[in-house]
Amino acid sequence: MMPDRTNCELAHLYFNPKTHKNGIPVRSIESTIHASTTKISKFLDKILRPIFDDKCKDTTIIDGASLITELSKYNKKGLLKPTILFCTFDIRNLYTMLPQEESLDILMAFLHAHGYRKVKGISIDTIKKLASIILKDNVFAYGKKIYKQTTGGAMGSSLTFTLANIFMSNWQKNIVEEQTNTGEFYGRY
């Protein structure tokens, strides 16, 4: 996980246009290919993403084909009724807007809920500390200035993708529990 001092460089910010959106807004991306935290991010993602994929496979739609497969299963069970309402969300800037401390707490709760005290021999406290470095010690260059990211995670960081999925899985679970308990549909976030 140690950075290679011979090619380590400060992450830098650039923007990709979202040509499919009105007004063509831009998405901020941090190039973290040679950043000092890249190897930590890739390592954590390598050990945490399989856990998320396994534990959340029953409630995760990964692409259009899996959506069609799930709808077909619902239909075969007689659950696909004309009164069902479908809802989609487009969460703008999810990765860069994740609340850092809350995301770390949700990661710990997720691991605890699935019985993990260690992952691949690493305590979850150590995992939290390493994930905190990825989120809270993220610095990047833009123009001729250096910035510290104070909200969310780097859009180019491997771990950010998995943290966002765990965060959204928690959000989804809270909505379903709330709706089940009250009979009403609304979210906390």
Side-chain angles (χ1 to χ4, degrees):
M1 289 189 285
M2 293 294 292
D4 180 355
R5 290 181 177 207
T6 62
N7 72 350
C8 191
E9 63 184 38
L10 194 60
H12 58 276
L13 187 66
Y14 67 97
F15 301 91
N16 276 349
K18 297 180 183 180
T19 55
H20 62 288
K21 303 266 184 170
N22 289 337
I24 309 180
V26 294
R27 170 179 292 138
S28 60
I29 308 284
E30 278 182 57
S31 176
T32 59
I33 293 171
H34 299 294
S36 61
T37 58
T38 298
K39 289 183 181 180
I40 299 170
S41 179
K42 286 181 179 183
F43 173 77
L44 289 177
D45 186 59
K46 185 178 177 180
I47 67 171
L48 295 174
R49 189 180 300 196
I51 295 170
F52 172 81
D53 290 345
D54 179 57
K55 302 301 179 188
C56 297
K57 65 181 173 249
D58 293 338
T59 58
T60 302
I61 303 293
I62 57 168
D63 57 23
S66 69
L67 173 63
I68 291 169
T69 300
E70 292 304 314
L71 288 174
S72 178
K73 287 179 192 175
Y74 269 65
N75 190 40
K76 286 178 184 173
K77 292 178 182 178
L79 300 172
L80 200 56
K81 309 271 186 203
T83 56
I84 288 180
L85 299 175
F86 289 94
C87 180
T88 63
F89 295 91
D90 183 10
I91 300 173
R92 289 184 289 148
N93 305 318
L94 172 62
Y95 295 175
T96 57
M97 296 307 291
L98 287 172
Q100 293 177 341
E101 198 60 43
E102 185 179 359
S103 296
L104 294 170
D105 291 342
I106 288 171
L107 171 62
M108 293 298 98
F110 174 80
L111 292 171
H112 275 287
H114 295 292
Y116 287 90
R117 300 300 173 257
K118 288 185 174 188
V119 178
K120 302 282 184 180
I122 300 169
S123 75
I124 62 170
D125 289 334
T126 299
I127 289 171
K128 183 177 183 180
K129 287 175 186 171
L130 291 170
S132 180
I133 290 169
I134 302 300
L135 290 178
K136 295 181 177 186
D137 294 333
N138 186 42
V139 293
F140 59 91
Y142 180 67
K144 296 187 180 204
K145 294 183 180 179
I146 297 174
Y147 297 88
K148 180 176 181 180
Q149 187 165 352
T150 57
T151 304
M155 186 69 185
S157 170
S158 302
L159 181 64
T160 303
F161 174 76
T162 299
L163 285 176
N165 281 335
I166 292 170
F167 185 90
M168 291 308 298
S169 176
N170 182 71
W171 184 75
Q172 176 184 337
K173 186 180 89 170
N174 287 341
I175 287 176
V176 170
E177 286 173 0
E178 218 167 274
Q179 195 241 346
T180 302
N181 293 336
T182 65
E184 298 176 15
F185 186 83
Y186 59 95
R188 294 183 194 180
Y189 296 98

